[in-house]
Amino acid sequence: MFFPDYRSRRLRKNEGFRRLIRETRLSVDNLVLPLFVRSGKDTKKPIGSMPGHFQLSIDHLIREVQMTKDAGIPAVLLFGIPDRKDEAASGAFARDGIIQQALRRIKDKTPDMLVFTDVCLCEYTSHGHCGIIEKGEVDNDATLEVLAETAVSHARAGADMVAPSAMMDGQVGAIREALDEAGYETIPIMAYSAKYASCFYGPFREAAEGAPQFGDRKAYQMDPANADEAIREITLDVEEGADIIMVKPALAYLDVIRRAREEFDLPIAAYNVSGEFAMIKAAAKLGWLDGGKAMMEILTSIKRAGADIIITYFAQEAAKILQGG
Ligand code: PBG
């Protein structure tokens, strides 16, 4: 088996051989595009640190969803920017909230496109934390009720799947129970199970206007140094009824994706977050990296690590390459 009998380069010598033995194939089927929706008409507000991405009013959002569908991408993940924020996050579950309105309009125009929603409070609270504040701290159990109500309101407005990202203990179970009680037992939950307190969410917080006004999220999001804990978090979400488990961010956590793949048999999603997108765009703009190649290499790595679903701001660009366009 050893050199010179075995020469690895024999099967690398041309593209034909490389194609034959390629282990990982990224497909447009694996991609989900996050989109940001705000109120207004004919508004398309650029997000500075995420070139090519915008806060879209619903009319533009509908066009974007249609384009995403035409690109062969099976799903979008919606984030809302409400007009008003308050302590109670009431915009998160309002019947005429921005996400609820957007869902109804999308489902009317493109009913066969999958629409997923982020279920969290940080975009809707005046203080920018992911939950309800009691005595200066995010109160876990008070937040659960609001998250559950938000998830039900999304299902009622037409969401195909809800994705709780607040990192409250028991959130998956609370949402599952509320959905079932409201008659939405067929709506699945994609749980942000291992979500780290990461600096790579920086550009997103500009995009969604959801930065915490005091402190940080370390009291609920995970410590980047921990991987065994990710397994505990995922185990809890599976027990509480998660249908898909997620690791977030993706690139700095490929080992966590791999361990999740080995230890669980549920579908795994990985969130290739805003900072991972922004750093490739920035380097490409400076001429320091080939942005398209970096994108494909990173998305392939996330799949190779074990992700079935990749949530990425690159979805449309990657789809063009994958569809040979
Ligand atoms: C909401 C939420 C965040 C992201 C997804 N859902 C921000 C955060 O937790 O601070 C980040 C997504 C990204 O960076 O692309 N809690």
Side-chain angles (χ1 to χ4, degrees), residues 27-49:
S27 155
V28 69
D29 296 338
N30 306 124
L31 305 178
V32 175
L33 176 70
L35 290 171
F36 300 96
V37 58
R38 60 171 303 129
S39 66
K41 265 208 173 101
D42 199 19
T43 308
K44 200 172 170 181
K45 194 171 158 207
I47 301 161
S49 50

PDB file of all heavy atoms in Angstrom, residues 27-49:
ATOM      1  N   SER A  27     -25.435  20.608  -3.404  1.00  0.00           N
ATOM      2  CA  SER A  27     -26.544  20.740  -4.344  1.00  0.00           C
ATOM      3  C   SER A  27     -27.386  21.943  -3.943  1.00  0.00           C
ATOM      4  O   SER A  27     -27.419  22.338  -2.772  1.00  0.00           O
ATOM      5  CB  SER A  27     -27.389  19.460  -4.289  1.00  0.00           C
ATOM      6  OG  SER A  27     -28.710  19.724  -4.707  1.00  0.00           O
ATOM      7  N   VAL A  28     -28.063  22.490  -4.927  1.00  0.00           N
ATOM      8  CA  VAL A  28     -28.980  23.588  -4.642  1.00  0.00           C
ATOM      9  C   VAL A  28     -30.081  23.115  -3.670  1.00  0.00           C
ATOM     10  O   VAL A  28     -30.623  23.902  -2.893  1.00  0.00           O
ATOM     11  CB  VAL A  28     -29.534  24.153  -5.974  1.00  0.00           C
ATOM     12  CG1 VAL A  28     -30.457  23.159  -6.638  1.00  0.00           C
ATOM     13  CG2 VAL A  28     -30.208  25.480  -5.784  1.00  0.00           C
ATOM     14  N   ASP A  29     -30.350  21.818  -3.681  1.00  0.00           N
ATOM     15  CA  ASP A  29     -31.346  21.235  -2.763  1.00  0.00           C
ATOM     16  C   ASP A  29     -30.991  21.453  -1.295  1.00  0.00           C
ATOM     17  O   ASP A  29     -31.856  21.367  -0.426  1.00  0.00           O
ATOM     18  CB  ASP A  29     -31.475  19.720  -2.977  1.00  0.00           C
ATOM     19  CG  ASP A  29     -32.010  19.378  -4.352  1.00  0.00           C
ATOM     20  OD1 ASP A  29     -32.650  20.240  -4.978  1.00  0.00           O
ATOM     21  OD2 ASP A  29     -31.775  18.246  -4.808  1.00  0.00           O
ATOM     22  N   ASN A  30     -29.718  21.683  -1.010  1.00  0.00           N
ATOM     23  CA  ASN A  30     -29.269  21.830   0.379  1.00  0.00           C
ATOM     24  C   ASN A  30     -29.403  23.254   0.914  1.00  0.00           C
ATOM     25  O   ASN A  30     -29.142  23.494   2.086  1.00  0.00           O
ATOM     26  CB  ASN A  30     -27.775  21.460   0.514  1.00  0.00           C
ATOM     27  CG  ASN A  30     -27.431  20.095  -0.028  1.00  0.00           C
ATOM     28  OD1 ASN A  30     -26.571  19.956  -0.897  1.00  0.00           O
ATOM     29  ND2 ASN A  30     -28.106  19.082   0.457  1.00  0.00           N
ATOM     30  N   LEU A  31     -29.757  24.207   0.048  1.00  0.00           N
ATOM     31  CA  LEU A  31     -29.603  25.613   0.430  1.00  0.00           C
ATOM     32  C   LEU A  31     -30.895  26.274   0.907  1.00  0.00           C
ATOM     33  O   LEU A  31     -31.982  26.007   0.396  1.00  0.00           O
ATOM     34  CB  LEU A  31     -29.040  26.410  -0.752  1.00  0.00           C
ATOM     35  CG  LEU A  31     -27.727  25.873  -1.351  1.00  0.00           C
ATOM     36  CD1 LEU A  31     -27.313  26.722  -2.550  1.00  0.00           C
ATOM     37  CD2 LEU A  31     -26.618  25.831  -0.318  1.00  0.00           C
ATOM     38  N   VAL A  32     -30.723  27.153   1.887  1.00  0.00           N
ATOM     39  CA  VAL A  32     -31.823  28.000   2.370  1.00  0.00           C
ATOM     40  C   VAL A  32     -31.305  29.438   2.381  1.00  0.00           C
ATOM     41  O   VAL A  32     -30.204  29.697   2.877  1.00  0.00           O
ATOM     42  CB  VAL A  32     -32.241  27.597   3.807  1.00  0.00           C
ATOM     43  CG1 VAL A  32     -33.304  28.558   4.348  1.00  0.00           C
ATOM     44  CG2 VAL A  32     -32.752  26.165   3.851  1.00  0.00           C
ATOM     45  N   LEU A  33     -32.101  30.365   1.844  1.00  0.00           N
ATOM     46  CA  LEU A  33     -31.693  31.776   1.798  1.00  0.00           C
ATOM     47  C   LEU A  33     -32.392  32.586   2.890  1.00  0.00           C
ATOM     48  O   LEU A  33     -33.626  32.649   2.915  1.00  0.00           O
ATOM     49  CB  LEU A  33     -32.039  32.380   0.427  1.00  0.00           C
ATOM     50  CG  LEU A  33     -31.742  33.879   0.271  1.00  0.00           C
ATOM     51  CD1 LEU A  33     -30.233  34.136   0.237  1.00  0.00           C
ATOM     52  CD2 LEU A  33     -32.397  34.452  -0.986  1.00  0.00           C
ATOM     53  N   PRO A  34     -31.629  33.233   3.768  1.00  0.00           N
ATOM     54  CA  PRO A  34     -32.261  34.146   4.734  1.00  0.00           C
ATOM     55  C   PRO A  34     -32.638  35.465   4.051  1.00  0.00           C
ATOM     56  O   PRO A  34     -31.888  35.965   3.214  1.00  0.00           O
ATOM     57  CB  PRO A  34     -31.157  34.414   5.776  1.00  0.00           C
ATOM     58  CG  PRO A  34     -30.038  33.475   5.450  1.00  0.00           C
ATOM     59  CD  PRO A  34     -30.174  33.129   4.000  1.00  0.00           C
ATOM     60  N   LEU A  35     -33.795  36.015   4.417  1.00  0.00           N
ATOM     61  CA  LEU A  35     -34.233  37.301   3.859  1.00  0.00           C
ATOM     62  C   LEU A  35     -34.750  38.198   4.980  1.00  0.00           C
ATOM     63  O   LEU A  35     -35.313  37.708   5.966  1.00  0.00           O
ATOM     64  CB  LEU A  35     -35.353  37.082   2.826  1.00  0.00           C
ATOM     65  CG  LEU A  35     -34.952  36.426   1.499  1.00  0.00           C
ATOM     66  CD1 LEU A  35     -36.199  36.084   0.684  1.00  0.00           C
ATOM     67  CD2 LEU A  35     -34.018  37.327   0.682  1.00  0.00           C
ATOM     68  N   PHE A  36     -34.572  39.505   4.794  1.00  0.00           N
ATOM     69  CA  PHE A  36     -34.983  40.495   5.803  1.00  0.00           C
ATOM     70  C   PHE A  36     -36.143  41.307   5.282  1.00  0.00           C
ATOM     71  O   PHE A  36     -36.062  41.875   4.187  1.00  0.00           O
ATOM     72  CB  PHE A  36     -33.808  41.425   6.124  1.00  0.00           C
ATOM     73  CG  PHE A  36     -32.602  40.696   6.666  1.00  0.00           C
ATOM     74  CD1 PHE A  36     -31.553  40.325   5.831  1.00  0.00           C
ATOM     75  CD2 PHE A  36     -32.535  40.341   8.007  1.00  0.00           C
ATOM     76  CE1 PHE A  36     -30.456  39.627   6.319  1.00  0.00           C
ATOM     77  CE2 PHE A  36     -31.451  39.646   8.509  1.00  0.00           C
ATOM     78  CZ  PHE A  36     -30.402  39.285   7.668  1.00  0.00           C
ATOM     79  N   VAL A  37     -37.201  41.382   6.059  1.00  0.00           N
ATOM     80  CA  VAL A  37     -38.392  42.125   5.610  1.00  0.00           C
ATOM     81  C   VAL A  37     -38.710  43.260   6.576  1.00  0.00           C
ATOM     82  O   VAL A  37     -38.594  43.111   7.790  1.00  0.00           O
ATOM     83  CB  VAL A  37     -39.598  41.174   5.388  1.00  0.00           C
ATOM     84  CG1 VAL A  37     -39.956  40.402   6.654  1.00  0.00           C
ATOM     85  CG2 VAL A  37     -40.813  41.960   4.886  1.00  0.00           C
ATOM     86  N   ARG A  38     -39.065  44.406   5.991  1.00  0.00           N
ATOM     87  CA  ARG A  38     -39.438  45.576   6.781  1.00  0.00           C
ATOM     88  C   ARG A  38     -40.727  46.165   6.221  1.00  0.00           C
ATOM     89  O   ARG A  38     -41.204  45.740   5.169  1.00  0.00           O
ATOM     90  CB  ARG A  38     -38.321  46.619   6.760  1.00  0.00           C
ATOM     91  CG  ARG A  38     -37.989  47.119   5.353  1.00  0.00           C
ATOM     92  CD  ARG A  38     -37.052  48.305   5.367  1.00  0.00           C
ATOM     93  NE  ARG A  38     -37.621  49.381   6.139  1.00  0.00           N
ATOM     94  CZ  ARG A  38     -36.980  50.035   7.125  1.00  0.00           C
ATOM     95  NH1 ARG A  38     -35.743  49.729   7.417  1.00  0.00           N
ATOM     96  NH2 ARG A  38     -37.576  50.992   7.778  1.00  0.00           N
ATOM     97  N   SER A  39     -41.265  47.171   6.906  1.00  0.00           N
ATOM     98  CA  SER A  39     -42.508  47.747   6.406  1.00  0.00           C
ATOM     99  C   SER A  39     -42.210  48.715   5.270  1.00  0.00           C
ATOM    100  O   SER A  39     -41.048  48.966   4.943  1.00  0.00           O
ATOM    101  CB  SER A  39     -43.221  48.469   7.548  1.00  0.00           C
ATOM    102  OG  SER A  39     -42.426  49.568   7.938  1.00  0.00           O
ATOM    103  N   GLY A  40     -43.279  49.269   4.686  1.00  0.00           N
ATOM    104  CA  GLY A  40     -43.106  50.260   3.629  1.00  0.00           C
ATOM    105  C   GLY A  40     -43.431  49.704   2.271  1.00  0.00           C
ATOM    106  O   GLY A  40     -43.821  48.534   2.131  1.00  0.00           O
ATOM    107  N   LYS A  41     -43.273  50.589   1.284  1.00  0.00           N
ATOM    108  CA  LYS A  41     -43.537  50.216  -0.108  1.00  0.00           C
ATOM    109  C   LYS A  41     -42.320  50.566  -0.931  1.00  0.00           C
ATOM    110  O   LYS A  41     -41.699  51.608  -0.698  1.00  0.00           O
ATOM    111  CB  LYS A  41     -44.737  51.022  -0.635  1.00  0.00           C
ATOM    112  CG  LYS A  41     -46.043  50.269  -0.511  1.00  0.00           C
ATOM    113  CD  LYS A  41     -47.046  50.710  -1.580  1.00  0.00           C
ATOM    114  CE  LYS A  41     -48.286  49.849  -1.556  1.00  0.00           C
ATOM    115  NZ  LYS A  41     -49.412  50.479  -0.881  1.00  0.00           N
ATOM    116  N   ASP A  42     -41.997  49.715  -1.880  1.00  0.00           N
ATOM    117  CA  ASP A  42     -40.890  49.966  -2.791  1.00  0.00           C
ATOM    118  C   ASP A  42     -39.614  50.389  -2.048  1.00  0.00           C
ATOM    119  O   ASP A  42     -38.932  51.306  -2.457  1.00  0.00           O
ATOM    120  CB  ASP A  42     -41.304  51.053  -3.818  1.00  0.00           C
ATOM    121  CG  ASP A  42     -40.390  51.015  -5.031  1.00  0.00           C
ATOM    122  OD1 ASP A  42     -39.716  49.981  -5.234  1.00  0.00           O
ATOM    123  OD2 ASP A  42     -40.337  52.027  -5.752  1.00  0.00           O
ATOM    124  N   THR A  43     -39.354  49.705  -0.943  1.00  0.00           N
ATOM    125  CA  THR A  43     -38.152  50.018  -0.154  1.00  0.00           C
ATOM    126  C   THR A  43     -37.180  48.849  -0.234  1.00  0.00           C
ATOM    127  O   THR A  43     -37.567  47.697  -0.063  1.00  0.00           O
ATOM    128  CB  THR A  43     -38.540  50.241   1.329  1.00  0.00           C
ATOM    129  OG1 THR A  43     -39.598  51.190   1.364  1.00  0.00           O
ATOM    130  CG2 THR A  43     -37.371  50.759   2.144  1.00  0.00           C
ATOM    131  N   LYS A  44     -35.936  49.196  -0.528  1.00  0.00           N
ATOM    132  CA  LYS A  44     -34.892  48.189  -0.643  1.00  0.00           C
ATOM    133  C   LYS A  44     -33.654  48.821  -0.035  1.00  0.00           C
ATOM    134  O   LYS A  44     -32.917  49.527  -0.716  1.00  0.00           O
ATOM    135  CB  LYS A  44     -34.693  47.883  -2.137  1.00  0.00           C
ATOM    136  CG  LYS A  44     -34.026  46.582  -2.416  1.00  0.00           C
ATOM    137  CD  LYS A  44     -34.022  46.252  -3.897  1.00  0.00           C
ATOM    138  CE  LYS A  44     -33.115  45.046  -4.108  1.00  0.00           C
ATOM    139  NZ  LYS A  44     -32.990  44.635  -5.483  1.00  0.00           N
ATOM    140  N   LYS A  45     -33.510  48.637   1.268  1.00  0.00           N
ATOM    141  CA  LYS A  45     -32.455  49.349   1.987  1.00  0.00           C
ATOM    142  C   LYS A  45     -31.206  48.471   2.096  1.00  0.00           C
ATOM    143  O   LYS A  45     -31.237  47.410   2.736  1.00  0.00           O
ATOM    144  CB  LYS A  45     -33.011  49.683   3.387  1.00  0.00           C
ATOM    145  CG  LYS A  45     -32.202  50.691   4.143  1.00  0.00           C
ATOM    146  CD  LYS A  45     -32.938  51.126   5.407  1.00  0.00           C
ATOM    147  CE  LYS A  45     -31.940  51.693   6.404  1.00  0.00           C
ATOM    148  NZ  LYS A  45     -32.369  51.564   7.791  1.00  0.00           N
ATOM    149  N   PRO A  46     -30.105  48.895   1.454  1.00  0.00           N
ATOM    150  CA  PRO A  46     -28.911  48.046   1.449  1.00  0.00           C
ATOM    151  C   PRO A  46     -28.360  47.828   2.856  1.00  0.00           C
ATOM    152  O   PRO A  46     -28.406  48.722   3.692  1.00  0.00           O
ATOM    153  CB  PRO A  46     -27.898  48.845   0.606  1.00  0.00           C
ATOM    154  CG  PRO A  46     -28.656  49.916  -0.070  1.00  0.00           C
ATOM    155  CD  PRO A  46     -29.899  50.167   0.743  1.00  0.00           C
ATOM    156  N   ILE A  47     -27.826  46.634   3.086  1.00  0.00           N
ATOM    157  CA  ILE A  47     -27.170  46.321   4.355  1.00  0.00           C
ATOM    158  C   ILE A  47     -25.670  46.449   4.092  1.00  0.00           C
ATOM    159  O   ILE A  47     -25.097  45.657   3.331  1.00  0.00           O
ATOM    160  CB  ILE A  47     -27.547  44.897   4.820  1.00  0.00           C
ATOM    161  CG1 ILE A  47     -29.076  44.793   4.993  1.00  0.00           C
ATOM    162  CG2 ILE A  47     -26.817  44.529   6.097  1.00  0.00           C
ATOM    163  CD1 ILE A  47     -29.619  43.376   5.010  1.00  0.00           C
ATOM    164  N   GLY A  48     -25.072  47.457   4.694  1.00  0.00           N
ATOM    165  CA  GLY A  48     -23.698  47.833   4.334  1.00  0.00           C
ATOM    166  C   GLY A  48     -22.695  46.699   4.406  1.00  0.00           C
ATOM    167  O   GLY A  48     -21.866  46.517   3.501  1.00  0.00           O
ATOM    168  N   SER A  49     -22.765  45.897   5.472  1.00  0.00           N
ATOM    169  CA  SER A  49     -21.748  44.864   5.663  1.00  0.00           C
ATOM    170  C   SER A  49     -22.127  43.539   4.989  1.00  0.00           C
ATOM    171  O   SER A  49     -21.407  42.551   5.133  1.00  0.00           O
ATOM    172  CB  SER A  49     -21.543  44.645   7.164  1.00  0.00           C
ATOM    173  OG  SER A  49     -22.795  44.453   7.784  1.00  0.00           O
TER     174      SER A  49
END
